[in-house]
Amino acid sequence: MHYGVIKNCDIADGPGVRVSLFVSGCTNHCENCFQPETWDFDYGTPFTQNTEDEIIKMLAPSYISGLTVLGGEPMEPSNQRALLPFLRKVRLVFPNKTIWVYSGFTYEELLTKSYPNCEATEELLDLCDVLVDGRFIEALKDITLLFRGSANQRIIDLKATRSSGTIVVWDKK
């Protein structure tokens, strides 16, 4: 897996101050995507053990609320396979920090036994607290929305959703 950028002290992609990892590779190709360069799976820098260690260090301060993974497309099967061991480590080292993931795929698409679902999907979703799902749709663009770009996108509380079996929208409490 490659990544385009890592942002330390990001306040735009989830609540509080976060570390954000922008992975490379996306087959969704949303019209007017804000960073189409990340569609290329080889864009940017290889994600290595050193990268993981750097992010773990960035997550350590108490003022960091958690990790956000976006892209590109984190839920591309090849990216899921690369992210899974890393997110296991993040959850182990920082059990009280939140993990958010942004995906152009809907929660329902991720659960069906077709692309993008793979052997890593279920556990990866279990490790995450929130999924911002749905493709960016230019006609539904709304810059007043919290943590998303178009009105079709949902902010899903994954823990509550997976526990109840029905979609539970995240409450910004």
Side-chain angles (χ1 to χ4, degrees):
M1 181 178 81
H2 283 69
Y3 67 94
V5 69
I6 298 167
K7 290 185 179 179
N8 196 4
C9 298
D10 184 1
I11 58 168
D13 299 309
V17 180
R18 310 185 67 75
V19 174
S20 294
L21 168 65
F22 290 77
V23 302
S24 296
C26 182
T27 58
N28 287 321
H29 298 185
C30 299
E31 181 184 355
N32 292 321
C33 170
F34 79 104
Q35 50 187 23
E37 64 276 5
T38 64
W39 295 352
D40 180 350
F41 284 82
D42 294 321
Y43 172 76
T45 307
F47 188 79
T48 64
Q49 184 61 54
N50 287 342
T51 310
E52 289 187 18
D53 295 343
E54 178 184 340
I55 294 171
I56 293 292
K57 285 179 189 169
M58 289 178 182
L59 287 166
S62 61
Y63 62 85
I64 299 292
S65 299
L67 174 68
T68 299
V69 185
L70 56 172
E73 177 56 68
M75 299 307 286
E76 289 287 347
S78 60
N79 288 341
Q80 289 184 56
R81 291 178 187 109
L83 286 167
L84 182 58
F86 174 60
L87 293 185
R88 283 181 190 139
K89 182 188 296 183
V90 170
R91 182 58 70 207
L92 181 67
V93 175
F94 302 109
N96 296 319
K97 296 193 188 249
T98 60
I99 300 173
W100 279 45
V101 64
Y102 280 70
S103 178
F105 299 111
T106 64
Y107 181 68
E108 293 81 2
E109 288 173 306
L110 293 169
L111 296 181
T112 62
K113 295 300 178 195
S114 62
Y115 194 85
N117 183 281
C118 70
E119 73 283 353
T121 305
E122 289 290 335
E123 185 180 354
L124 195 129
L125 290 171
D126 282 340
L127 289 168
C128 296
D129 297 286
V130 170
L131 171 69
V132 181
D133 81 336
R135 288 162 182 79
F136 171 75
I137 298 175
E138 179 69 29
L140 299 176
K141 180 179 179 179
D142 182 346
I143 61 169
T144 67
L145 295 171
L146 185 64
F147 305 132
R148 58 200 194 280
S150 58
N152 62 299
Q153 295 171 315
R154 302 175 292 185
I155 303 175
I156 299 172
D157 180 327
L158 281 174
K159 302 294 184 201
T161 295
R162 294 177 72 71
S163 170
S164 71
T166 60
I167 299 289
V168 177
V169 175
W170 175 75
D171 181 2
K172 64 180 179 176
K173 36 184 168 177

